[in-house]
Amino acid sequence: MTDATGTTAHTSGTTGTTGTAQGTWTVAPEAFGSPVAAALWRAYYMEVSDRWYELHEGRSTPPDELEREIAAEPGADFTPPGGVLMVARYGGEPAGMAGVRLLDASTGELKRFFVRKEMRGRGGAALLLAAGEDAARALGAGRMVLDTRHDLVEARALYARHGYEEIEAYNSNEYAEHWFSKSLAPAG
């Protein structure tokens, strides 16, 4: 199914890695200010921030910093015509998100790529990444870039498996340690 921005909602059946229950993944655009998007943004930020603080300072994110940083980046750049926020659901429950925004007329940037810890290993990350790439194409991008940190090894492995190659820094994100790019072939 395609929405008004030309973004395709992806659907895939998958079996969970534990038990025998069947689940279905769906990925579709979501308003950045929705309660679902806000809850996923909070979960994403808390996880990546806590991982950084635990690695570098042996503690979790200070609550005041968490609230300040979540409020500072609500996600308005993930709205048409220059961006989109995609939400993945597993069995109808919000399980992950990916933001795509245009950096220029031909370059999309993947941000806020996240799958809830309890939903990982069920095929949703690859589906969400493909949906993000399709969203970038629909916005007119022929290339996707992203940045990530060294400690986010799962993310770096996912990007490499799906054709992303490391490049020189394209931004000055103080927390980024790795930058990736992928040419997006036109949808066929």
Side-chain angles (χ1 to χ4, degrees):
M1 125 178 89
T2 302
D3 77 355
T5 67
T7 304
T8 303
H10 293 261
T11 306
S12 174
T14 186
T15 302
T17 57
T18 58
T20 59
Q22 284 282 20
T24 301
W25 283 100
T26 59
V27 178
E30 179 90 19
F32 77 89
S34 76
V36 166
L40 287 167
W41 169 223
R42 175 175 291 284
Y44 164 84
Y45 191 86
M46 189 177 309
E47 181 174 334
V48 297
S49 183
D50 279 353
R51 282 177 71 162
W52 189 90
Y53 273 107
E54 287 167 8
L55 178 66
H56 295 283
E57 298 182 12
R59 62 183 178 86
S60 60
T61 307
D64 62 326
E65 178 182 324
L66 179 68
E67 296 308 320
R68 182 179 64 249
E69 294 301 318
I70 287 172
E73 292 191 44
D77 46 348
F78 303 121
T79 59
V84 65
L85 181 71
M86 307 297 291
V87 168
R89 288 177 168 80
Y90 184 76
E93 294 297 316
M97 69 176 173
V100 176
R101 63 184 178 192
L102 289 177
L103 295 181
D104 60 42
S106 63
T107 307
E109 183 180 36
L110 184 69
K111 300 296 289 182
R112 297 188 186 188
F113 188 84
F114 172 71
V115 175
R116 289 185 184 275
K117 192 176 290 190
E118 65 273 16
M119 295 294 165
R120 294 176 189 159
R122 299 178 185 196
L127 187 66
L128 186 57
L129 185 58
E133 292 171 358
D134 285 347
R137 282 186 201 93
L139 294 169
R143 175 173 86 117
M144 181 84 89
V145 295
L146 61 93
D147 64 38
T148 192
R149 296 190 327 234
H150 188 73
D151 63 306
L152 301 176
V153 294
E154 310 93 336
R156 292 187 2 249
L158 174 75
Y159 303 139
R161 275 194 316 273
H162 291 276
Y164 286 80
E165 296 179 354
E166 282 212 54
I167 60 171
E168 293 295 316
Y170 67 88
N171 64 22
S172 58
N173 178 350
E174 66 182 298
Y175 296 106
E177 298 166 309
H178 297 270
W179 294 262
F180 289 87
S181 178
K182 179 179 179 179
S183 178
L184 299 176

